[in-house]
Amino acid sequence: MTRSACRRPVQRTRAFAAALTLMLSALLPGAALAADAAHGETLAKRWCASCHIVAPDQPRGTDNVPTFASIAKRPGFSADQTARFLMNPHPKMPDMQIGRGEAADLGAYIASLAK
Ligand code: HEC
């Protein structure tokens, strides 16, 4: 941002923007922070295991569908991004009407597989 001759309003705007950012970050990723990976695992076993290998103890999934562990280990993987991705059915997936909380739980569960 370029500094204008009139400094004060700019600073006030910045402080306001910072406060707003703080408020938003307290609200939005809150869903992901509160995500329950154990619940995500239950959902994954119910909804996703017909195609994906969702847990290390699952003997088989569908050919050419990435395992959740391999998805979790991809560079740039993020639970948040995965949760957002799951809010829209992916092309080869049936439309499962996953809610925001469920998507966050699934994202958290998949992320836990990278460890
Ligand atoms: C009908 C089969 C099927 C089901 C059921 C299914 N998936 Fe998928 N999923 C796929 C396929 C196929 C791909 C690979 C898509 C591609 O490569 O374009 C994929 C890819 C993904 C990816 C990786 C997307 C990326 O960024 O490349 C994620 C994450 C994912 N699935 C999550 C889930 C979750 C969570 C569930 C359960 C709620 C689920 N999937 C259920 C078939 C399925």
Side-chain angles (χ1 to χ4, degrees), residues 47-48 50-52 65-66 68 71 74 82 85-86 90 92-94 96 98 106 110:
W47 290 339
C48 324
S50 53
C51 297
H52 293 273
V65 179
F68 279 7
I71 291 170
R74 283 180 190 168
T82 300
F85 160 81
L86 289 171
H90 49 287
K92 294 178 197 161
M93 251 174 65
M96 296 188 235
I98 296 172
L106 285 161
I110 296 173

Side-chain angles (χ1 to χ4, degrees), residues 11 27 60 62 96:
Q11 281 174 353
L27 288 175
R60 55 185 304 150
T62 301
M96 296 188 235

Side-chain angles (χ1 to χ4, degrees), residues 32-108:
L33 284 179
D36 178 349
H39 184 231
E41 180 174 7
T42 308
L43 296 177
K45 287 181 172 164
R46 189 184 309 155
W47 290 339
C48 324
S50 53
C51 297
H52 293 273
I53 292 187
V54 306
D57 61 356
Q58 184 183 330
R60 55 185 304 150
T62 301
D63 286 351
N64 299 321
V65 179
T67 67
F68 279 7
S70 75
I71 291 170
K73 285 173 188 149
R74 283 180 190 168
F77 171 86
S78 113
D80 271 358
Q81 221 168 34
T82 300
R84 243 172 278 136
F85 160 81
L86 289 171
M87 298 296 290
N88 297 302
H90 49 287
K92 294 178 197 161
M93 251 174 65
D95 182 353
M96 296 188 235
Q97 301 290 338
I98 296 172
R100 181 194 292 240
E102 292 159 341
D105 292 352
L106 285 161

